[in-house]
Amino acid sequence: MSNAPKLPKEISTAMQDYKPATRTALIKVRDLLFEAARENPAIGPITETLKWGQPSYLTEQTKSGSTVRLGETGGDNYPAIFVNCKTTLIAQFKEHYGNQLDYIGVRALVITDVELRAEIKHCLALVLTYHARK
């Protein structure tokens, strides 16, 4: 059972655009994001909105982190976590997890195995604390 807040209507509607397996994976990633935020008080409340039609998560109050967008990759349509390409976040993920996780350039962490819960949650925490750690 998830401790994440109920999906807002606009987020739920946007999630319907994804195939069922992608939607299920992205909802699990969303749960991990809220779990990571709950475990680190420095992150503060998460603002959930749509950016470019994709569910997006911001630390508006504390400004501790960079924006997280959830979506799918082009072509193969894997679920993915998208980060600002001007950050060093993907490089940080690679430092911690190397080839254990899949990436697209400096923009996305591809979710090929949602069972890597601890690793994904840690990457989300890195995004949500990016500015606070600089």
Side-chain angles (χ1 to χ4, degrees):
M1 181 87 187
S2 167
N3 285 323
K6 184 177 184 221
L7 274 172
K9 183 168 177 41
E10 67 177 358
I11 303 298
S12 180
T13 300
M15 288 281 195
Q16 295 306 313
D17 290 341
Y18 300 118
K19 62 185 177 185
T22 298
R23 183 172 49 249
T24 298
L26 293 178
I27 289 171
K28 288 179 182 179
V29 170
R30 177 186 179 268
D31 291 346
L32 291 172
L33 182 138
F34 279 100
E35 191 176 306
R38 208 174 32 260
E39 291 174 1
N40 186 339
I43 293 170
I46 299 295
T47 300
E48 188 168 26
T49 188
L50 288 179
K51 286 190 176 215
W52 299 288
Q54 295 175 315
S56 300
Y57 304 86
L58 302 87
T59 57
E60 278 186 314
Q61 187 174 7
T62 64
K63 308 232 185 288
S64 66
S66 186
T67 300
V68 176
R69 283 187 301 114
L70 302 181
E72 61 186 2
T73 62
D76 51 13
N77 295 330
Y78 279 109
I81 297 167
F82 293 94
V83 299
N84 184 321
C85 62
K86 295 180 181 172
T87 66
T88 60
L89 285 161
I90 298 297
Q92 291 174 30
F93 301 168
K94 288 178 180 179
E95 283 177 29
H96 288 280
Y97 300 108
N99 293 331
Q100 185 178 358
L101 300 175
D102 295 301
Y103 317 93
I104 297 176
V106 294
R107 167 68 93 210
L109 170 61
V110 181
I111 309 300
T112 55
D113 185 357
V114 89
E115 296 308 314
L116 294 169
R117 291 178 46 83
E119 294 85 347
I120 294 168
K121 184 167 84 171
H122 180 235
C123 290
L124 290 165
L126 290 172
V127 179
L128 296 173
T129 59
Y130 181 74
H131 295 300
R133 293 180 294 107
K134 283 171 74 176

